[in-house]
Amino acid sequence: MRILMVGAGGVGTAITRIAARRTFFEYMVVADYDRQRAESAVAALGADERRFSAARLDASDTGAVRAALAERRCDVLLNATDPRFVLPLFEAALAERAHYLDMAMSLSRPHPTRPYEECGVKLGDAQFDRAAAWAAAGRLALVGMGVEPGLSDVFARHAADTLFDEIEEIGIRDGANLVVDGYDFAPSFSIWTTIEECLNPPVVYEEGRGWFTTAPFSEPEVFDFPEGIGPVECVNVEHEEVLLVPRWVKARRVTFKYGLGAAFIDVLRTLHQLGLDRTDPVTVPGADGQVAVSPRDVVAACLPDPATLGDRMHGKTCAGTWVKGTKDGRPREVYLYHVVDNQWSMREYGSQAVVWQTAINPVAALELVASGAWHGSGVLGPEALPPAPFLDLLTEYGAPWGMREQ
Protein backbone atom coordinates (compact mmCIF):
# COMPACT_ATOMS: atom_id res chain seq x y z
CA MET A 1 0.00 0.00 0.00
CA ARG A 2 1.28 3.44 -1.02
CA ILE A 3 -0.49 6.34 0.69
CA LEU A 4 -0.82 10.02 -0.14
CA MET A 5 -1.83 11.79 3.06
CA VAL A 6 -2.97 15.37 2.54
CA GLY A 7 -2.78 17.52 5.66
CA ALA A 8 0.14 17.67 8.11
CA GLY A 9 -1.53 19.48 10.99
CA GLY A 10 -2.03 17.98 14.44
CA VAL A 11 -3.98 14.92 13.27
CA GLY A 12 -1.79 14.36 10.21
CA THR A 13 1.39 14.56 12.26
CA ALA A 14 -0.04 12.12 14.82
CA ILE A 15 -0.94 9.75 11.97
CA THR A 16 2.70 9.63 10.86
CA ARG A 17 3.87 8.81 14.39
CA ILE A 18 1.37 5.97 14.74
CA ALA A 19 1.86 4.61 11.21
CA ALA A 20 5.66 4.60 11.58
CA ARG A 21 5.29 1.77 14.12
CA ARG A 22 3.33 -0.43 11.68
CA THR A 23 4.56 -2.46 8.71
CA PHE A 24 1.40 -2.81 6.57
CA PHE A 25 2.27 -0.05 4.06
CA GLU A 26 5.18 0.49 1.71
CA TYR A 27 5.32 4.28 1.47
CA MET A 28 3.54 7.44 2.64
CA VAL A 29 3.75 10.91 1.11
CA VAL A 30 2.98 13.59 3.71
CA ALA A 31 1.62 16.59 1.80
CA ASP A 32 0.53 20.01 3.00
CA TYR A 33 0.03 23.51 1.59
CA ASP A 34 2.79 24.52 4.03
CA ARG A 35 5.75 22.45 2.90
CA GLN A 36 7.68 23.19 6.08
CA ARG A 37 4.90 21.65 8.17
CA ALA A 38 5.01 18.48 6.06
CA GLU A 39 8.80 18.34 6.31
CA SER A 40 8.67 18.78 10.09
CA ALA A 41 6.24 15.87 10.44
CA VAL A 42 8.56 13.61 8.44
CA ALA A 43 11.76 14.82 10.13
CA ALA A 44 10.33 14.07 13.57
CA LEU A 45 10.25 10.36 12.64
CA GLY A 46 14.07 10.21 12.48
CA ALA A 47 16.62 9.66 9.76
CA ASP A 48 16.17 5.89 9.80
CA GLU A 49 12.52 6.10 8.74
CA ARG A 50 12.68 6.04 4.94
CA ARG A 51 9.08 5.14 4.10
CA PHE A 52 7.92 8.77 4.41
CA SER A 53 8.52 11.82 2.26
CA ALA A 54 7.22 15.40 2.34
CA ALA A 55 5.61 17.43 -0.43
CA ARG A 56 3.82 20.72 -0.94
CA LEU A 57 0.28 20.30 -2.23
CA ASP A 58 -2.79 22.51 -2.49
CA ALA A 59 -5.73 20.37 -1.36
CA SER A 60 -8.17 22.53 -3.33
CA ASP A 61 -6.38 21.82 -6.63
CA THR A 62 -7.85 18.56 -7.92
CA GLY A 63 -5.44 18.46 -10.86
CA ALA A 64 -2.40 18.81 -8.61
CA VAL A 65 -3.71 16.11 -6.28
CA ARG A 66 -4.31 13.78 -9.23
CA ALA A 67 -0.77 14.41 -10.44
CA ALA A 68 0.67 13.65 -7.00
CA LEU A 69 -1.24 10.37 -6.81
CA ALA A 70 0.01 9.35 -10.23
CA GLU A 71 3.62 10.50 -9.83
CA ARG A 72 4.07 8.85 -6.43
CA ARG A 73 2.13 5.73 -7.51
CA CYS A 74 -0.18 5.99 -4.50
CA ASP A 75 -3.19 3.68 -4.34
CA VAL A 76 -4.81 5.37 -1.31
CA LEU A 77 -5.59 9.01 -0.55
CA LEU A 78 -5.89 9.75 3.17
CA ASN A 79 -7.59 13.10 3.78
CA ALA A 80 -6.33 14.76 6.99
CA THR A 81 -7.50 18.27 6.10
CA ASP A 82 -10.55 20.17 7.32
CA PRO A 83 -13.94 19.54 5.64
CA ARG A 84 -13.59 22.39 3.14
CA PHE A 85 -11.28 20.21 1.07
CA VAL A 86 -13.25 16.96 1.15
CA LEU A 87 -14.76 17.22 -2.32
CA PRO A 88 -11.66 18.10 -4.39
CA LEU A 89 -9.68 15.33 -2.68
CA PHE A 90 -12.57 12.85 -2.95
CA GLU A 91 -12.94 13.56 -6.68
CA ALA A 92 -9.19 13.42 -7.32
CA ALA A 93 -8.98 9.97 -5.73
CA LEU A 94 -11.89 8.70 -7.83
CA ALA A 95 -10.40 10.10 -11.04
CA GLU A 96 -7.10 8.32 -10.33
CA ARG A 97 -8.86 5.11 -9.21
CA ALA A 98 -7.34 5.31 -5.72
CA HIS A 99 -9.10 4.29 -2.53
CA TYR A 100 -10.08 7.22 -0.31
CA LEU A 101 -10.45 7.73 3.44
CA ASP A 102 -11.47 10.81 5.43
CA MET A 103 -12.33 11.71 9.02
CA ALA A 104 -14.99 14.35 8.29
CA MET A 105 -17.50 14.47 5.46
CA SER A 106 -18.60 17.03 2.88
CA LEU A 107 -20.20 20.12 4.37
CA SER A 108 -23.87 20.74 5.02
CA ARG A 109 -26.01 23.75 4.16
CA PRO A 110 -28.94 24.69 6.40
CA HIS A 111 -32.48 24.69 5.06
CA PRO A 112 -33.07 28.18 3.56
CA THR A 113 -36.30 28.92 5.45
CA ARG A 114 -36.64 26.32 8.25
CA PRO A 115 -33.05 25.72 9.44
CA TYR A 116 -34.06 24.48 12.90
CA GLU A 117 -36.80 22.13 11.74
CA GLU A 118 -35.75 20.66 8.40
CA CYS A 119 -32.48 19.51 6.87
CA GLY A 120 -31.09 21.33 3.89
CA VAL A 121 -28.01 19.70 2.37
CA LYS A 122 -26.82 17.14 4.92
CA LEU A 123 -23.28 16.25 5.88
CA GLY A 124 -21.97 13.77 3.32
CA ASP A 125 -24.80 14.23 0.80
CA ALA A 126 -22.37 15.28 -1.92
CA GLN A 127 -20.28 12.16 -1.32
CA PHE A 128 -23.17 9.73 -1.21
CA ASP A 129 -24.43 11.26 -4.47
CA ARG A 130 -21.27 9.82 -6.04
CA ALA A 131 -21.61 6.33 -4.54
CA ALA A 132 -22.55 4.70 -7.86
CA ALA A 133 -19.45 6.11 -9.55
CA TRP A 134 -17.21 4.74 -6.80
CA ALA A 135 -18.91 1.35 -6.97
CA ALA A 136 -18.53 1.27 -10.77
CA ALA A 137 -14.83 2.05 -10.39
CA GLY A 138 -14.44 -0.80 -7.89
CA ARG A 139 -12.87 1.54 -5.38
CA LEU A 140 -13.64 2.18 -1.71
CA ALA A 141 -14.36 5.62 -0.28
CA LEU A 142 -14.39 5.02 3.50
CA VAL A 143 -15.90 8.19 4.92
CA GLY A 144 -16.01 9.47 8.50
CA MET A 145 -13.21 7.19 9.77
CA GLY A 146 -11.73 9.20 12.64
CA VAL A 147 -12.79 8.80 16.25
CA GLU A 148 -16.13 10.67 16.02
CA PRO A 149 -17.23 9.84 13.41
CA GLY A 150 -15.33 6.59 13.03
CA LEU A 151 -14.75 4.56 16.15
CA SER A 152 -18.13 5.70 17.47
CA ASP A 153 -19.76 4.19 14.36
CA VAL A 154 -17.84 0.94 14.82
CA PHE A 155 -19.18 0.81 18.39
CA ALA A 156 -22.73 1.28 17.07
CA ARG A 157 -22.37 -1.64 14.66
CA HIS A 158 -20.77 -3.82 17.35
CA ALA A 159 -23.67 -3.10 19.71
CA ALA A 160 -26.23 -3.97 17.03
CA ASP A 161 -24.43 -7.18 16.06
CA THR A 162 -23.66 -8.63 19.48
CA LEU A 163 -25.19 -6.74 22.41
CA PHE A 164 -28.81 -5.98 21.46
CA ASP A 165 -31.79 -7.59 19.77
CA GLU A 166 -33.59 -4.24 19.37
CA ILE A 167 -32.18 -0.73 19.75
CA GLU A 168 -34.24 2.18 20.97
CA GLU A 169 -31.54 4.85 20.80
CA ILE A 170 -27.91 5.22 19.79
CA GLY A 171 -26.38 8.35 21.26
CA ILE A 172 -22.79 9.42 20.67
CA ARG A 173 -21.54 11.13 23.83
CA ASP A 174 -18.20 12.98 23.88
CA GLY A 175 -16.73 14.58 26.99
CA ALA A 176 -13.41 15.49 28.60
CA ASN A 177 -11.82 17.10 31.63
CA LEU A 178 -8.90 18.59 29.69
CA VAL A 179 -7.38 21.84 30.94
CA VAL A 180 -4.89 23.98 28.98
CA ASP A 181 -2.53 25.92 31.25
CA GLY A 182 -2.21 29.62 30.44
CA TYR A 183 -5.32 29.94 28.26
CA ASP A 184 -8.87 30.87 29.12
CA PHE A 185 -10.02 29.67 25.68
CA ALA A 186 -7.91 27.23 23.67
CA PRO A 187 -9.84 24.55 21.73
CA SER A 188 -8.06 21.20 21.60
CA PHE A 189 -9.24 20.63 18.01
CA SER A 190 -9.51 22.78 14.87
CA ILE A 191 -11.60 25.86 15.71
CA TRP A 192 -12.70 26.01 12.06
CA THR A 193 -14.26 22.55 12.38
CA THR A 194 -15.52 23.20 15.91
CA ILE A 195 -17.45 26.28 14.79
CA GLU A 196 -18.90 24.37 11.85
CA GLU A 197 -20.10 21.53 14.07
CA CYS A 198 -21.41 23.58 16.97
CA LEU A 199 -23.19 26.48 15.26
CA ASN A 200 -24.84 24.58 12.42
CA PRO A 201 -28.31 23.18 13.16
CA PRO A 202 -27.85 19.80 14.89
CA VAL A 203 -29.42 16.81 13.14
CA VAL A 204 -31.45 14.12 14.92
CA TYR A 205 -32.72 10.87 13.38
CA GLU A 206 -36.00 9.19 14.37
CA GLU A 207 -37.52 6.09 12.82
CA GLY A 208 -40.62 7.04 10.84
CA ARG A 209 -39.64 10.71 10.72
CA GLY A 210 -36.15 10.50 9.27
CA TRP A 211 -33.62 13.27 9.73
CA PHE A 212 -34.61 16.64 11.14
CA THR A 213 -32.88 19.57 12.82
CA THR A 214 -33.06 21.44 16.12
CA ALA A 215 -31.55 24.65 17.49
CA PRO A 216 -27.84 24.66 18.38
CA PHE A 217 -27.04 23.41 21.91
CA SER A 218 -30.52 21.87 22.33
CA GLU A 219 -31.60 19.05 24.68
CA PRO A 220 -28.91 19.53 27.37
CA GLU A 221 -28.23 16.52 29.57
CA VAL A 222 -25.58 15.58 32.12
CA PHE A 223 -23.66 12.45 31.15
CA ASP A 224 -21.29 10.69 33.56
CA PHE A 225 -18.08 9.84 31.69
CA PRO A 226 -15.81 6.98 32.83
CA GLU A 227 -12.25 6.78 34.14
CA GLY A 228 -12.47 9.76 36.43
CA ILE A 229 -13.79 12.33 33.94
CA GLY A 230 -17.17 12.42 35.65
CA PRO A 231 -20.38 14.33 34.88
CA VAL A 232 -20.32 16.74 31.94
CA GLU A 233 -23.25 18.65 30.44
CA CYS A 234 -23.72 17.60 26.82
CA VAL A 235 -25.79 19.26 24.08
CA ASN A 236 -26.90 18.43 20.55
CA VAL A 237 -24.28 19.20 17.90
CA GLU A 238 -24.25 18.54 14.16
CA HIS A 239 -22.15 15.44 13.50
CA GLU A 240 -21.70 12.78 10.87
CA GLU A 241 -22.72 9.78 12.99
CA VAL A 242 -26.37 10.84 12.93
CA LEU A 243 -26.20 10.79 9.11
CA LEU A 244 -24.18 7.56 8.90
CA VAL A 245 -25.46 5.16 11.54
CA PRO A 246 -29.10 4.91 10.31
CA ARG A 247 -27.91 3.88 6.85
CA TRP A 248 -26.60 0.54 8.19
CA VAL A 249 -27.83 0.10 11.78
CA LYS A 250 -31.49 -0.18 12.78
CA ALA A 251 -32.34 2.12 15.69
CA ARG A 252 -35.41 4.14 16.58
CA ARG A 253 -33.39 7.28 17.39
CA VAL A 254 -29.81 8.49 16.80
CA THR A 255 -28.26 11.59 18.39
CA PHE A 256 -24.87 13.21 18.92
CA LYS A 257 -24.18 15.25 22.06
CA TYR A 258 -20.94 17.00 22.88
CA GLY A 259 -19.71 18.04 26.33
CA LEU A 260 -18.82 21.65 25.58
CA GLY A 261 -19.39 23.41 28.89
CA ALA A 262 -21.18 26.73 29.49
CA ALA A 263 -18.09 28.92 28.99
CA PHE A 264 -17.26 27.33 25.63
CA ILE A 265 -20.84 27.69 24.46
CA ASP A 266 -20.84 31.37 25.47
CA VAL A 267 -17.74 32.03 23.34
CA LEU A 268 -19.26 30.29 20.32
CA ARG A 269 -22.50 32.24 20.70
CA THR A 270 -20.54 35.50 20.87
CA LEU A 271 -18.60 34.63 17.73
CA HIS A 272 -21.90 33.97 15.99
CA GLN A 273 -23.48 37.22 17.21
CA LEU A 274 -20.49 39.17 15.88
CA GLY A 275 -20.49 37.34 12.56
CA LEU A 276 -17.04 35.92 13.22
CA ASP A 277 -18.18 32.40 12.43
CA ARG A 278 -18.78 33.33 8.78
CA THR A 279 -16.69 31.76 6.04
CA ASP A 280 -17.58 34.16 3.21
CA PRO A 281 -14.94 36.91 2.93
CA VAL A 282 -15.33 40.43 4.25
CA THR A 283 -13.28 43.37 2.99
CA VAL A 284 -10.85 45.08 5.38
CA PRO A 285 -8.17 47.73 4.85
CA GLY A 286 -4.65 46.45 4.24
CA ALA A 287 -1.21 47.98 3.73
CA ASP A 288 -1.64 47.73 -0.05
CA GLY A 289 -5.36 48.43 -0.24
CA GLN A 290 -8.52 46.43 0.42
CA VAL A 291 -8.10 42.78 1.42
CA ALA A 292 -10.78 40.04 1.47
CA VAL A 293 -10.56 37.77 4.51
CA SER A 294 -12.76 35.08 6.02
CA PRO A 295 -13.79 36.00 9.60
CA ARG A 296 -13.55 32.37 10.67
CA ASP A 297 -10.00 32.14 9.32
CA VAL A 298 -9.12 35.25 11.36
CA VAL A 299 -10.47 33.60 14.52
CA ALA A 300 -8.41 30.49 13.78
CA ALA A 301 -5.27 32.59 13.21
CA CYS A 302 -5.73 34.35 16.55
CA LEU A 303 -5.96 31.10 18.55
CA PRO A 304 -3.10 28.72 19.35
CA ASP A 305 -2.57 25.75 17.04
CA PRO A 306 -4.16 22.76 18.86
CA ALA A 307 -1.20 20.61 17.83
CA THR A 308 1.13 22.78 19.95
CA LEU A 309 -0.90 22.59 23.18
CA GLY A 310 0.05 19.12 24.35
CA ASP A 311 2.70 20.23 26.85
CA ARG A 312 0.17 22.57 28.49
CA MET A 313 -2.75 20.12 28.56
CA HIS A 314 -3.80 17.92 31.46
CA GLY A 315 -6.61 15.41 31.77
CA LYS A 316 -8.45 12.88 29.66
CA THR A 317 -10.75 12.84 26.66
CA CYS A 318 -13.51 10.29 26.09
CA ALA A 319 -15.31 9.32 22.89
CA GLY A 320 -18.10 6.80 23.06
CA THR A 321 -21.45 5.41 22.02
CA TRP A 322 -24.34 5.00 24.43
CA VAL A 323 -26.92 2.42 23.35
CA LYS A 324 -30.33 1.68 24.87
CA GLY A 325 -32.56 -1.24 23.89
CA THR A 326 -33.36 -4.84 24.74
CA LYS A 327 -31.47 -8.14 24.80
CA ASP A 328 -33.23 -11.47 25.33
CA GLY A 329 -36.41 -9.58 26.20
CA ARG A 330 -34.76 -7.50 28.95
CA PRO A 331 -33.94 -3.75 28.95
CA ARG A 332 -30.27 -2.94 28.52
CA GLU A 333 -28.10 0.18 28.35
CA VAL A 334 -24.37 0.22 27.66
CA TYR A 335 -21.70 2.81 26.99
CA LEU A 336 -18.89 1.71 24.66
CA TYR A 337 -15.98 4.10 25.02
CA HIS A 338 -12.36 4.98 24.36
CA VAL A 339 -10.41 7.19 26.79
CA VAL A 340 -7.01 8.78 26.19
CA ASP A 341 -4.93 10.44 28.91
CA ASN A 342 -3.01 13.43 27.56
CA GLN A 343 0.08 12.71 29.66
CA TRP A 344 0.22 9.20 28.19
CA SER A 345 -0.20 10.28 24.55
CA MET A 346 2.40 13.03 24.95
CA ARG A 347 4.87 10.67 26.60
CA GLU A 348 4.36 7.82 24.13
CA TYR A 349 3.83 9.71 20.86
CA GLY A 350 4.45 13.42 21.44
CA SER A 351 0.87 14.17 20.35
CA GLN A 352 -1.89 15.68 22.47
CA ALA A 353 -4.79 13.40 23.39
CA VAL A 354 -7.55 14.72 21.12
CA VAL A 355 -5.55 14.64 17.88
CA TRP A 356 -3.94 11.31 18.78
CA GLN A 357 -7.32 9.73 19.52
CA THR A 358 -8.56 10.90 16.13
CA ALA A 359 -5.42 9.76 14.29
CA ILE A 360 -5.18 6.17 15.46
CA ASN A 361 -8.45 5.15 13.81
CA PRO A 362 -7.66 5.89 10.13
CA VAL A 363 -4.31 4.14 10.53
CA ALA A 364 -6.01 1.02 11.91
CA ALA A 365 -8.64 1.19 9.15
CA LEU A 366 -5.97 1.38 6.45
CA GLU A 367 -4.24 -1.65 7.96
CA LEU A 368 -7.49 -3.60 7.72
CA VAL A 369 -7.94 -2.51 4.09
CA ALA A 370 -4.35 -3.54 3.33
CA SER A 371 -4.90 -6.99 4.87
CA GLY A 372 -8.27 -7.49 3.17
CA ALA A 373 -10.13 -7.77 6.49
CA TRP A 374 -12.06 -4.67 5.42
CA HIS A 375 -13.02 -4.48 1.77
CA GLY A 376 -15.76 -3.14 -0.45
CA SER A 377 -16.52 -0.58 -3.10
CA GLY A 378 -18.63 2.54 -3.21
CA VAL A 379 -19.05 5.15 -0.48
CA LEU A 380 -19.20 3.37 2.87
CA GLY A 381 -19.28 4.45 6.49
CA PRO A 382 -17.42 2.51 9.21
CA GLU A 383 -20.63 0.80 10.34
CA ALA A 384 -20.90 -0.87 6.92
CA LEU A 385 -17.88 -3.05 7.76
CA PRO A 386 -17.38 -5.82 10.37
CA PRO A 387 -16.48 -4.27 13.75
CA ALA A 388 -14.59 -7.14 15.41
CA PRO A 389 -11.36 -6.88 13.36
CA PHE A 390 -11.17 -3.16 14.03
CA LEU A 391 -11.78 -3.41 17.78
CA ASP A 392 -9.23 -6.23 18.07
CA LEU A 393 -6.64 -4.21 16.16
CA LEU A 394 -7.24 -1.13 18.29
CA THR A 395 -6.31 -3.18 21.35
CA GLU A 396 -3.23 -4.51 19.54
CA TYR A 397 -2.20 -0.90 18.91
CA GLY A 398 -2.13 -0.35 22.69
CA ALA A 399 -5.35 1.68 22.74
CA PRO A 400 -7.94 -0.61 24.35
CA TRP A 401 -11.63 0.30 24.47
CA GLY A 402 -14.08 -0.28 27.27
CA MET A 403 -17.74 -1.02 27.94
CA ARG A 404 -19.86 0.04 30.91
CA GLU A 405 -23.29 -1.33 31.70
CA GLN A 406 -25.46 1.68 32.51
Side-chain angles (χ1 to χ4, degrees):
M1 177 179 281
R2 294 174 66 87
I3 304 164
L4 171 63
M5 182 180 72
V6 186
V11 173
T13 297
I15 284 171
T16 64
R17 294 171 182 177
I18 296 165
R21 303 188 185 190
R22 308 300 295 183
T23 61
F24 68 88
F25 68 100
E26 175 189 349
Y27 181 65
M28 179 184 288
V29 182
V30 181
D32 197 278
Y33 189 79
D34 181 345
R35 185 184 181 92
Q36 184 175 1
R37 191 158 66 166
E39 290 174 344
S40 295
V42 172
L45 302 175
D48 293 336
E49 182 50 84
R50 301 182 183 278
R51 292 180 298 163
F52 295 79
S53 66
R56 184 190 180 279
L57 188 61
D58 181 350
S60 68
D61 186 341
T62 299
V65 176
R66 289 187 62 180
L69 284 166
E71 291 166 8
R72 305 298 183 105
R73 297 180 291 110
C74 293
D75 50 350
V76 175
L77 192 158
L78 171 55
N79 178 359
T81 65
D82 72 54
R84 288 174 290 181
F85 303 107
V86 162
L87 289 179
L89 295 172
F90 178 80
E91 291 295 342
L94 176 60
E96 292 301 316
R97 298 180 64 82
H99 297 304
Y100 169 88
L101 188 150
D102 64 32
M103 291 162 273
M105 297 176 67
S106 59
L107 292 171
S108 63
R109 288 198 306 274
H111 190 279
T113 59
R114 291 169 54 83
Y116 303 132
E117 292 86 19
E118 298 182 33
C119 296
V121 175
K122 301 187 299 299
L123 290 170
D125 275 357
Q127 290 173 282
F128 282 112
D129 285 347
R130 299 284 280 150
W134 279 88
R139 293 295 180 267
L140 171 63
L142 180 54
V143 296
M145 192 59 249
V147 60
E148 291 173 341
L151 178 57
S152 51
D153 303 72
V154 174
F155 283 151
R157 177 63 185 269
H158 174 67
D161 286 357
T162 65
L163 303 177
F164 291 85
D165 297 323
E166 292 186 354
I167 295 177
E168 179 181 333
E169 182 169 351
I170 295 173
I172 316 306
R173 299 293 184 264
D174 180 301
N177 61 1
L178 294 168
V179 175
V180 182
D181 294 339
Y183 291 97
D184 293 326
F185 183 77
S188 56
F189 203 71
S190 161
I191 188 60
W192 201 101
T193 303
T194 300
I195 289 173
E196 187 73 19
E197 291 175 350
C198 295
L199 293 178
N200 276 354
V203 181
V204 174
Y205 173 84
E206 290 183 357
E207 189 177 58
R209 183 177 178 182
W211 288 292
F212 62 94
T213 57
T214 69
F217 317 122
S218 58
E219 298 183 2
E221 68 175 60
V222 175
F223 192 86
D224 187 19
F225 288 91
E227 298 194 21
I229 295 174
V232 179
E233 185 177 72
C234 298
V235 293
N236 278 327
V237 167
E238 182 190 49
H239 231 252
E240 285 90 344
E241 291 94 326
V242 179
L243 288 313
L244 286 170
V245 169
R247 296 175 186 267
W248 288 281
V249 177
K250 184 174 176 57
R252 296 190 186 98
R253 195 168 197 261
V254 182
T255 58
F256 180 98
K257 293 188 180 182
Y258 197 4
L260 295 171
F264 200 105
I265 289 172
D266 286 344
V267 170
L268 292 176
R269 282 179 169 151
T270 300
L271 291 175
H272 179 63
Q273 288 167 354
L274 296 175
L276 295 175
D277 60 325
R278 293 167 51 192
T279 58
D280 49 309
V282 298
T283 302
V284 299
D288 299 316
Q290 299 294 308
V291 179
V293 296
S294 159
R296 194 184 300 185
D297 287 342
V298 172
V299 172
C302 291
L303 290 171
D305 181 348
T308 67
L309 296 176
D311 290 333
R312 294 173 174 263
M313 285 174 58
H314 308 278
K316 298 177 181 179
T317 184
C318 178
T321 303
W322 163 74
V323 187
K324 178 181 180 181
T326 59
K327 178 67 173 178
D328 298 327
R330 296 180 179 179
R332 189 179 196 186
E333 287 185 53
V334 303
Y335 183 57
L336 303 157
Y337 64 88
H338 186 254
V339 172
V340 179
D341 186 304
N342 188 71
Q343 287 183 292
W344 176 86
S345 65
M346 286 298 297
R347 182 177 66 250
E348 294 294 321
Y349 286 88
S351 296
Q352 54 103 320
V354 177
V355 299
W356 186 90
Q357 188 183 45
T358 303
I360 191 171
N361 296 286
V363 180
L366 287 175
E367 183 160 348
L368 293 177
V369 172
S371 73
W374 272 12
H375 58 87
S377 62
V379 179
L380 301 181
E383 52 278 278
L385 299 165
F390 186 91
L391 295 174
D392 290 345
L393 189 57
L394 198 64
T395 301
E396 182 185 316
Y397 273 48
W401 56 281
M403 186 179 85
R404 180 182 69 189
E405 295 278 352
Q406 296 290 88

